[in-house]
Every structure is written in structure tokens, then in C-alpha cells.
Amino acid sequence: MILLRRLLGDVLRRQRQRQGRTLREVSSSARVSLGYLSEVERGQKEASSELLSAICDALDLRMSELLREVSDELALAELAQSAASDAVPSLGVPPGRGLGERPMLNPVRVTSVTHRPEEHVTIKASSEAVDVVAA
């Protein structure tokens, strides 16, 4: 199961670390206890919108940027989860009907997903690797 609080925490931690800031610095600036901020970053606590706003202000980060990055990560996690379970998403095409000129995709078992900051994602499968570059 994909937990939104874990994805939020991961993105917040990365943003803080990119700035070379400590938990103590950000917690002080956001007026949030160090322990609670740590739990949010580890995905153990569900942050309220007010708390997220305070953390974003402390990181000089727009909440929309935070949510966009979390949304991108969620999409990748859903893709990996879907591929890992060998489930092919329904495209709304009745069984037995083709997709016109578009070829059908072969299901691939995903063994790992690597996300790099430059929005380049490598999905490793058992026999091949597929590169996905965010536009």
C-alpha cells in the first residue's frame, strides 16, 4: 500500500537536505517540535495543512511545488506497484478489441524503481530496463 504521509515525508526530507539544513534549524523556523518534524519526515505522522504550510515556509518552498513533487512520486509508485503485480491497467477497450494502430504492451515484472533528482527514472525489470524521462 502506498502511504501519502511517507511520500510527503520523503520529499520534505530531500528538500531540507538539498538546502543543507538540519532538522533543528527547520523545526525552529517552522515552530514545530524537532521530534514531530522528524516523525513527519519519516512518514510516521500525518501532517495537517497548517503544519505543511509552516514547514514549506521554513524551507522557502511553495506548497504547490511540494505537492507536485509528491504527486509525481505517487504516480511512479502506482506505476511500479501496478507493474509489480503484473496487472495491466484497463484502457476502457472491450475484450477482444484492439486499440486501432497502437500495439499492445507486454506486461513486465518490475524489480526496482530508481528516481533521480533530475526527473529521470529507471525502472529495472527482470530482462530489460526501461527509462522514463519526465517531460
Side-chain angles (χ1 to χ4, degrees), residues 18-125:
R18 283 181 194 150
Q19 296 177 15
R21 297 181 62 197
T22 65
L23 271 171
R24 185 172 309 283
E25 292 169 341
V26 175
S27 69
S28 175
S29 180
R31 297 181 185 210
V32 176
S33 78
L34 185 135
Y36 197 82
L37 180 57
S38 175
E39 288 180 309
V40 168
E41 282 193 0
R42 288 181 283 138
Q44 294 178 336
K45 293 288 185 187
E46 199 81 49
S48 68
S49 57
E50 291 87 357
L51 180 65
L52 285 176
S53 179
I55 296 168
C56 285
D57 287 347
L59 291 170
D60 196 29
L61 173 70
R62 291 184 183 160
M63 194 178 306
S64 61
E65 293 171 5
L66 169 70
L67 296 176
R68 185 175 305 116
E69 191 170 339
V70 169
S71 176
D72 291 345
E73 298 235 348
L74 178 59
L76 290 171
E78 289 172 336
L79 176 64
Q81 187 177 54
S82 175
S85 66
D86 288 332
V88 177
S90 170
L91 299 174
V93 178
R97 293 249 174 140
L99 293 175
E101 299 299 313
R102 297 180 68 188
M104 293 296 285
L105 299 175
N106 296 326
V108 175
R109 178 174 286 294
V110 174
T111 56
S112 70
V113 177
T114 304
H115 179 248
R116 292 183 231 150
E118 63 271 9
E119 297 184 357
H120 182 269
V121 178
T122 300
I123 300 174
K124 292 186 179 178

